[in-house]
Amino acid sequence: MSDNSGPMLKGSITALVTPMKGGKVDEKAFTGLVERQVKAGTHGVVPVGTTGESPTLTHEEHARVVDLCIEIVAGRIPVIAGAGSNSTQEAIMLARHAEKSGADALLTVTGYYNKPSQPGIYAHFKAVHDAVSIPLVIYNVPARTSSDVTVETLARLSELERVIGVKDATANLARVPQQRLACAEGFIQLSGEDITAVGFNAMGGSGCISVTSNIVPELCAQMQEACLKGDWTRAVDIQDRLTPLHEAVFADTSPAPTKYALSRLGLCSDEIRLPLVGASEAACSKVDAALAGLGLL
């Protein structure tokens, strides 16, 4: 990748939940959630990532959520469609649909469970890259996939024309300068960990694909804007205010606590699909306390 072609992805990018009602996607609630994000100053949205329960959506539901998100956003902010699978052919199918529907970019994850080698990881992403003509963001989340995209492999991937960035959920801040030095010029680094997002930016990142911003989009956008302006005092102040909520939304497996928080705000139900179950009593208590601390309850 010789230049940073494609959309400039930066700031607070929300990994959207997929609200459900009676076992089906709640399109009315989803419409409200997306519109709320745009109006709050969020810099981009990711439908049907892990936070959107992509593993348990049918292909038809996955496609519909992407289509609906693009329709609601209507070009106001970038839509980075989730198009990940541990089957390369399935990832390509999802990627092609997102491109056809008008997504600005794709977020695609390493092969989970399969535990591919580094050459396998490279070949997987290159196959997706070669199948579409829109930009790709690599999603590296070893805690979920048991598969880490090494700095060396990411550097190779960054040379591909449309691989424009990484969502780094390693929580290893040393990766930011290492990747910056190794990858092609203009390569975008986005944090995938809310609680380390300010530190990630200070090391050279340019934003966060956030779970917490489902709940408090304005604060997350303000924090990221402070980072982009180099106002670290303000960024840290907002991060400190958000830390109890960051901790609460990951007190149980995501997105159960986030859906509970949104239900407390009257924005959607807390319904979630098996094998995930609703947030535990302990997690709900943490969410309630964090929301109360922010003056939202």
Side-chain angles (χ1 to χ4, degrees), residues 35-138:
E35 191 61 41
R36 178 173 179 256
Q37 290 293 324
V38 176
K39 288 179 176 174
T42 293
H43 303 96
V45 287
V46 177
V48 290
T50 314
T51 307
E53 295 177 74
S54 55
T56 51
L57 296 182
T58 66
H59 289 156
E60 292 77 16
E61 287 172 331
H62 188 115
R64 176 59 182 154
V65 171
V66 170
D67 292 350
L68 189 56
C69 186
I70 292 167
E71 182 185 318
I72 300 158
V73 168
R76 290 176 289 175
I77 56 175
V79 175
I80 306 109
S85 174
N86 62 340
S87 160
T88 304
Q89 288 307 309
E90 185 178 42
I92 287 171
M93 180 196 71
L94 297 172
R96 282 176 169 160
H97 171 83
E99 177 180 25
K100 186 179 176 184
S101 297
D104 297 287
L106 304 169
L107 180 68
T108 187
V109 72
T110 49
Y112 42 88
Y113 192 81
N114 302 354
K115 297 186 78 171
S117 64
Q118 293 302 308
I121 288 170
Y122 178 84
H124 168 80
F125 286 125
K126 186 176 186 303
V128 178
H129 169 275
D130 291 350
V132 294
S133 58
I134 59 174
L136 266 68
V137 176
I138 305 296

